Amino acid sequence: MSGPDPASGDRGVGTQTEPVSARVVPSWSDPWAAAASRVVGGPLGRHALIGRARFWTPLRVVLLIAVAVLAMGWLGKSPCLQQYRDDAGNLTLDWRDSRQYVAMCYSDTIPLWGVENLDDPAALPYRDAWIQDEGTPDETVRYMEYPVLTGFHQWAAARVADAWTGLAEQTGLLPSALPVVVYFDVSAAWLALAWLAVVWATHALRPSRPWDAVLVALSPLVAVHVFTNFDALAVAAATLGLLALVRNRPLLAGVLLGIGGGFKFYPLLLLGPIFVLGMRRWRDGRTLAPALRTSVTALVTVVAVNAPVALAWPTGWLEFFRLNRTRPADPDSLYYVLSHFSEWAGFDGRLTAGEAPAVLNVVSIVLFALCCAAIAALAWWAPRTPRLASLAFLVVATFLLVNKVWSPQYSLWLVPLAVLALPRTRILLGWMVLDALVWVPRMYYYLTPAKMGLPPGWFLGAVLLRDAAVIGLCVLVVRSVLLPGTDPVRAIGLDDPDWPVTAPAVPAKILV
């Protein structure tokens, strides 16, 4: 069964929300795509018919590429799933000789099985505590440290793993392994589905540029980090929320962004650009309703998601906020890099164990607020109303740059936003490759020089290069806002394909 003709820009009956004036042919407009096309005979012919394939549509090709990259991502983590029998004959996970760093296969999912008390079938996140470092001076009472939907996702995956291993033992008909390995695979299956949803939504957001989604599917950041933690769930909710907004369903968009806020905080950052653009459009005589409905619904949803846990088990619910408040600057942050290379003691000086970096917390919040104010001013005074993807990318990128934590998988947040905001193949692939390669010195930094790892300077230098690349992307996005003629999306006659409109579609044509 064939779907809508991709050449027409049709999003389905009754869902067309933007006038599509052209469909971009990458092998005509992108030098890298033109060069790559030589492998299959060269650029598309001028008299070629497009949009007629009954099966190999752009979407299906892009999803197939995504599946291949996700499979590579799982294979990259597979060395950390190896098992062996110890001297007592017990089957255990083979992380001997720091395999997780040497093989660069580390994933938070595996240690969290024990660290977050997921191996106890009777324990419920946020309700039940456990003792960390029991019997030592650092003994503390701990609860699930993740936002509520991520916490319950982990718990549900753990219970599925328990059921699978139990059924395998009873019947002998199912393949099985250590419960932690089955738990990783169950989690990976859901994360893979989430990223496929991201790819699909990105494709749907660009009917005139369907091949832009290849950059999301093919990103080396996905191969390295999609199974490092659980961020793909939040990215899926955020990207689907943007798609719902485009399709003029602001209430659904708000629900999806609010659900995303239950997985990670970052989807809620998109509410700022949505509201600012709504105000700019209202100033220009257009309606503010989509922005208001989306924002209010998102806030109501995230409260509804959190309220049951917060009311029933307030101490457990506050654990996420407590740990974020007391967490010092991570090695991934600019603050740590500056402290290391300059021997600066930091804003708070030397901290004792568990002491909150109060000044650093305030500084990072103030810096982010200033960045948001600058982005809002850019949106307000730009010669043409900016695109939502441009502002969203700037907000999330500046949040990561000034935050005290930039965990490696956080870079996934930027992938669909960067593709939507700045669809330039060479530039985006350059950043993605550089960002993904930071994983190598990171792993050998954790290995430490005592175990033939790398000294800190190698990793921290790579972090600086990564940050410089993201700042460069921000500069290019700002340039496209101030000079709309340099925006590759608007170059084909579109206003803002990320904002709901009701104009009728224009028959598609191919740009020469």
Side-chain angles (χ1 to χ4, degrees):
M1 181 177 181
S2 59
D5 181 4
S8 70
D10 185 17
R11 292 177 173 164
V13 177
T15 59
Q16 201 160 8
T17 56
E18 70 172 27
V20 180
S21 59
R23 172 171 169 179
V24 173
V25 177
S27 59
W28 294 1
S29 59
D30 190 308
W32 276 41
S37 69
R38 294 171 189 156
V39 178
V40 292
L44 185 76
R46 294 192 180 279
H47 301 289
L49 295 177
I50 63 172
R52 303 296 181 88
R54 295 185 62 83
F55 185 81
W56 289 116
T57 61
L59 175 59
R60 286 172 178 159
V61 173
V62 170
L63 289 176
L64 180 62
I65 293 171
V67 170
V69 172
L70 290 166
M72 290 174 57
W74 185 90
L75 289 172
K77 301 299 185 185
S78 63
C80 282
L81 306 179
Q82 302 299 312
Q83 305 162 105
Y84 79 104
R85 294 197 178 274
D86 59 20
D87 294 337
N90 298 316
L91 192 64
T92 187
L93 203 62
D94 188 2
W95 278 26
R96 294 173 295 179
D97 302 320
S98 301
R99 175 194 285 263
Q100 69 273 29
Y101 303 135
V102 175
M104 295 183 288
C105 60
Y106 176 83
S107 169
D108 286 335
T109 310
I110 296 172
L112 287 175
W113 169 260
V115 170
E116 296 291 347
N117 210 28
L118 298 169
D119 53 351
D120 181 1
L124 190 65
Y126 312 103
R127 183 193 68 184
D128 299 319
W130 66 93
I131 305 299
Q132 180 177 293
D133 300 322
E134 189 172 3
T136 71
D138 297 327
E139 178 178 302
T140 52
V141 178
R142 290 291 312 279
Y143 293 87
M144 169 63 73
E145 64 179 87
Y146 282 84
V148 292
L149 291 184
T150 300
F152 279 110
H153 164 80
Q154 295 178 68
W155 176 82
R159 302 295 70 83
V160 171
D162 289 340
W164 181 282
T165 52
L167 192 60
E169 291 175 0
Q170 292 174 8
T171 65
L173 300 177
L174 297 175
S176 189
L178 288 169
V180 64
V181 175
V182 179
Y183 165 67
F184 175 88
D185 287 337
V186 172
S187 297
W190 284 106
L191 294 171
L193 289 173
W195 197 259
L196 290 175
V198 174
V199 173
W200 173 80
T202 305
H203 176 277
L205 282 162
R206 290 293 180 271
S208 301
R209 304 178 58 95
W211 294 107
D212 286 353
V214 169
L215 291 169
V216 179
L218 197 59
S219 173
L221 283 167
V222 177
V224 176
H225 292 313
V226 71
F227 302 129
T228 298
N229 203 280
F230 306 98
D231 293 64
L233 301 168
V235 179
T239 313
L240 291 170
L242 292 177
L243 179 59
L245 178 61
V246 168
R247 293 185 169 182
N248 210 14
R249 302 182 68 181
L251 298 182
L252 177 59
V255 169
L256 288 167
L257 291 174
I259 289 173
F263 285 113
K264 290 279 183 175
F265 174 70
Y266 112 86
L268 299 179
L269 295 177
L270 304 184
L271 297 180
I274 289 172
F275 186 76
V276 167
L277 275 185
M279 291 296 295
R280 167 69 190 255
R281 289 174 175 272
W282 177 71
R283 187 195 76 178
D284 295 339
R286 287 172 282 186
T287 179
L288 182 60
L292 282 177
R293 290 174 182 171
T294 301
S295 301
V296 171
T297 305
L299 294 175
V300 170
T301 300
V302 77
V303 170
V305 166
N306 282 272
V309 177
L311 294 175
W313 311 302
T315 304
W317 179 75
L318 287 170
E319 182 80 346
F320 167 74
F321 301 96
R322 183 187 70 81
L323 289 178
N324 276 277
R325 180 178 59 83
T326 59
R327 190 172 183 175
D330 268 16
D332 319 74
S333 69
L334 284 172
Y335 309 106
Y336 189 97
V337 173
L338 178 62
S339 177
H340 173 81
F341 286 119
S342 67
E343 298 184 356
W344 172 50
F347 290 108
D348 296 274
R350 303 300 176 187
L351 299 171
T352 60
E355 183 181 0
V359 179
L360 174 60
N361 290 341
V362 173
V363 168
S364 61
I365 292 172
V366 170
L367 287 177
F368 180 57
L370 291 175
C371 290
C372 289
I375 295 168
L378 173 69
W380 193 257
W381 299 110
R384 184 174 176 182
T385 304
R387 294 193 293 113
L388 175 58
S390 300
L391 296 190
F393 174 82
L394 291 174
V395 167
V396 176
T398 53
F399 173 80
L400 292 174
L401 287 166
V402 303
N403 196 28
K404 64 177 182 178
V405 178
W406 186 332
S407 295
Q409 71 277 1
Y410 288 2
S411 295
L412 291 173
W413 304 356
L414 294 175
V415 171
L417 295 177
V419 170
L420 295 171
L422 193 72
R424 298 186 183 277
T425 304
R426 181 176 58 181
I427 292 171
L428 291 187
L429 281 180
W431 156 62
M432 290 176 187
V433 169
L434 175 61
D435 202 330
L437 287 176
V438 175
W439 187 245
V440 178
R442 179 192 303 275
M443 292 291 95
Y444 281 85
Y445 162 68
Y446 289 151
L447 188 61
T448 72
K451 297 181 179 179
M452 301 184 67
L454 289 173
W458 287 81
F459 167 53
L460 300 178
V463 168
L464 280 178
L465 290 175
R466 186 270 318 275
D467 290 350
V470 173
I471 291 171
L473 293 179
C474 291
V475 171
L476 291 175
V477 171
V478 170
R479 177 174 176 265
S480 72
V481 172
L482 295 176
L483 302 173
T486 65
D487 188 335
V489 174
R490 282 181 159 163
I492 61 174
L494 300 178
D495 177 27
D496 185 357
D498 306 315
W499 196 264
V501 295
T502 56
V506 176
K509 63 181 179 181
I510 300 177
L511 286 181
V512 176

